Amino acid sequence: MQTYSLSQRSGAEFLGTAFLLATVVGSGIMAERLAGGNVAIALLGNTIPTGAILYVLITMLGPISGAHFNPAVTLAFLIRGEISRNDAVVFIAIQIVAGLAGVLAAHAMFDETILQVSEKLRTGPSQWFAEVVATFGLVVTILLCLRSRPDAIPAAVGLYITSAYWFTASTSFANPAVTIARGFSNTFAGINPANVPAFIIAQLIGAVLAVYVARALLAEAPISKQRTVKPAE
């Protein structure tokens, strides 16, 4: 098996996260413009490209970096001892920067104002609980598929997010980097920056719960006894 350097893995995380956000925001802009005021059609037009691009990105970049594209996923693997603390910090920083780059690219492609701040309110207990559920489900999907069908992860994640857009009240952000980036897009996919911290807290709670539930279901050794993966030389 080929070993990739931290710079290669970071590059894969940057590319994947940037394309993910360009898709989320860009498809939201396109969908809203074409939906004629029908919010359900606009959401559908936002959902399908997001699920589709996740399949593509995870398939092509998964072998290089693991295709996290999400600080909550990186946190889950850090807790499990499958990524070093240093690599996790680098991944998370890259994901956040890449998410912002993807949003700016989407704005440029659709001739929107490049720098924006969202005014779209997304808040309240139901939204926060929805983010716990959405992130829990995403991380559990990844961890359980890793054990049973690693080759199915691209499809499983893409389909999970496609469905979670519709069964969660928050439309399943499930990703702190995505949440931060969408705070800087006053478009269909945006979220008011004041609402971002609560979403991120909920997402991290969901990710941590998923790690321990997956461990219990798989009858794995306690987290503290699992071996920490050393960073690539």
Side-chain angles (χ1 to χ4, degrees):
M1 180 182 295
Q2 184 172 352
T3 300
Y4 294 93
S5 68
L6 179 58
S7 62
Q8 289 173 311
R9 288 179 285 132
S10 297
E13 286 296 302
F14 184 94
L15 186 64
T17 310
F19 263 99
L20 174 59
L21 265 299
T23 302
V24 170
V25 173
S27 65
I29 295 170
M30 177 70 85
E32 190 170 44
R33 289 182 181 181
L34 298 179
N38 188 319
V39 179
I41 295 298
L43 181 60
L44 184 63
N46 192 202
T47 302
I48 295 172
T50 301
I53 199 66
L54 279 167
Y55 180 89
V56 173
L57 295 174
I58 296 170
T59 299
M60 72 177 185
L61 298 173
I64 300 174
S65 70
H68 296 192
F69 315 145
N70 184 338
V73 173
T74 300
L75 173 64
F77 283 109
L78 176 63
I79 293 171
R80 288 171 58 83
E82 296 177 13
I83 184 173
S84 71
R85 185 175 300 176
N86 177 69
D87 287 8
V89 170
V90 172
F91 269 32
I92 291 170
I94 289 290
Q95 291 156 1
I96 293 170
V97 172
L100 293 170
V103 167
L104 299 182
H107 291 166
M109 288 191 289
F110 285 92
D111 198 25
E112 294 273 339
T113 302
I114 301 298
L115 297 175
Q116 303 179 16
V117 176
S118 179
E119 298 175 0
K120 194 162 192 174
L121 297 176
R122 299 178 188 264
T123 189
S126 63
Q127 297 261 321
W128 303 331
F129 179 63
E131 280 301 293
V132 173
V133 172
T135 312
F136 172 86
L138 172 63
V139 176
V140 160
T141 295
I142 293 168
L143 296 181
L144 297 187
C145 284
L146 269 175
R147 172 67 70 88
S148 61
R149 284 281 306 280
D151 60 311
I153 290 176
V157 170
L159 290 171
Y160 175 80
I161 291 297
T162 298
S163 62
Y165 257 68
W166 288 83
F167 78 74
T168 64
S170 61
T171 66
S172 186
F173 284 43
N175 183 329
V178 166
T179 306
I180 292 168
R182 287 169 67 167
F184 294 92
S185 184
N186 194 30
T187 63
F188 183 79
I191 176 173
N192 190 302
N195 303 148
V196 166
F199 264 49
I200 291 176
I201 291 169
Q203 291 156 3
L204 297 180
I205 290 171
V208 172
L209 288 173
V211 169
Y212 288 93
V213 168
R215 180 170 70 84
L217 291 174
L218 296 172
E220 294 177 329
I223 299 295
S224 61
K225 295 183 180 180
Q226 293 181 10
R227 181 177 61 87
T228 300
V229 173
K230 295 181 180 179
E233 298 296 335

